[in-house]
Amino acid sequence: MKIYTRKGDKGTTALFGGSRVDKDDVRVNCYGTLDEVNSTIGLLRAKLGSDHEWQANLHKIQKDMMDMMSHLARPSDCKKENPNPKPEDGPAFCEQWIDELEAGMTTKSDYFLLPGGNEISALCHVVRTQMRRGERLLVSLMKVDTVDDYILSYINRLSDLFFILSRAEMDKAGVAEEKWQLFLYKRKKTVE
C-alpha cells in the first residue's frame, strides 16, 4: 500500500468513520496539535537516551496520546465504534508521577519560571506549551461536539506534569531556576 492517496490534495481529510472535513477544521487542528506534542515528546525521549528513568512513563503517554487522537478524530454522530482503548486512568497517572517527582525535589514549586535551564528542561517547557495550545483547541472542539471528559482532564494534567518534569530535570542537574514571580495564590498569602 502506498503512503500517498491524493485524496487530501483539495484540502480535505478523512475523519474516523470516513466523513471528510477541511484540513483546518477545529477537530483536525485539535488532534493535529496533539500530534505535534507527541512528536516533541518523541524528541525528548531521544534526547534522554534509552536507559533514562522517564522512558517507560513517556512511552505510556505517547501511546495514550495516539489513542486520544483517534477518539478525537471520531465525530459523536459516527456510527462506527472506535476499538482503541480510552486512557481514562491518565489524569490519575499524571498526578501520581507529579507527586513522586515533587517528593524527590529539593525545592517547592512556588514560582512562575522562565523556560530554559538546560536542553531537557527547555524541551519539557515546549511540550507543556504545545499541550496548552492543544487544550485550548480541545475547548473549541467541545463547543461544537461532545468529547469524553477524561481527555480534557488528561491534557490539562499533562501540561502540569511537563512543568514538573522541567523542574525535576533542573533540580537533578543542579541548575538554578530563573524565577519570574510567585504564583498568585502564594502572593495573596504573603500579603495577608
Side-chain angles (χ1 to χ4, degrees):
M1 182 173 144
K2 294 183 178 181
I3 189 67
Y4 57 87
T5 64
R6 299 187 179 114
K7 291 180 180 176
D9 290 353
K10 301 282 187 203
T12 64
T13 191
L15 297 177
F16 185 93
S19 64
R20 295 194 74 80
V21 295
D22 291 337
K23 289 187 177 185
D24 65 352
D25 182 86
V26 66
R27 180 180 305 281
V28 179
N29 267 322
C30 183
Y31 68 70
T33 297
L34 296 180
D35 192 26
E36 290 176 38
V37 175
N38 209 5
S39 295
T40 308
I41 295 171
L43 176 60
L44 173 62
R45 289 184 64 207
K47 294 281 187 186
L48 289 172
S50 60
D51 60 342
H52 195 278
E53 62 188 328
W54 296 352
Q55 283 291 351
N57 285 349
L58 292 174
H59 181 256
K60 174 197 173 5
I61 289 167
Q62 282 194 292
K63 286 174 42 180
D64 287 352
M65 294 284 290
M66 295 298 285
D67 289 331
M68 286 189 289
M69 286 185 288
S70 79
H71 288 285
L72 290 171
R74 181 188 176 273
S76 63
D77 63 356
C78 178
K79 302 292 184 220
K80 184 177 178 183
E81 288 301 315
N82 185 333
N84 292 316
K86 293 183 176 185
E88 296 174 294
D89 67 331
F93 165 79
C94 289
E95 290 169 6
Q96 180 179 348
W97 195 12
I98 288 168
D99 292 345
E100 289 170 10
L101 289 164
E102 285 188 315
M105 292 182 356
T106 58
T107 59
K108 293 187 338 180
S109 179
D110 293 334
Y111 289 85
F112 289 101
L113 303 174
L114 299 180
N118 65 24
E119 188 175 25
I120 297 301
S121 176
L123 265 173
C124 288
H125 279 290
V126 171
V127 172
R128 174 186 63 79
T129 57
Q130 289 175 333
M131 199 73 74
R132 286 292 187 210
R133 180 165 35 98
E135 183 180 27
R136 292 189 300 271
L137 290 165
L138 185 55
V139 170
S140 295
L141 175 59
M142 292 169 68
K143 292 176 182 175
V144 297
D145 199 4
T146 57
V147 173
D148 289 333
D149 290 340
Y150 80 90
I151 295 178
L152 184 60
S153 296
Y154 197 175
I155 298 302
N156 184 31
R157 217 66 84 247
L158 281 168
S159 61
D160 296 335
L161 171 64
F162 280 91
F163 175 75
I164 296 303
L165 286 170
S166 72
R167 293 197 67 243
E169 168 60 22
M170 299 271 287
D171 190 74
K172 182 179 175 184
V175 177
E177 296 174 332
E178 291 183 283
K179 297 173 182 174
W180 178 55
Q181 62 180 264
L182 275 170
F183 293 142
L184 182 59
Y185 75 94
K186 294 280 187 179
R187 283 183 273 164
K188 286 182 179 180
K189 284 183 182 178
T190 59
V191 172
E192 294 172 352

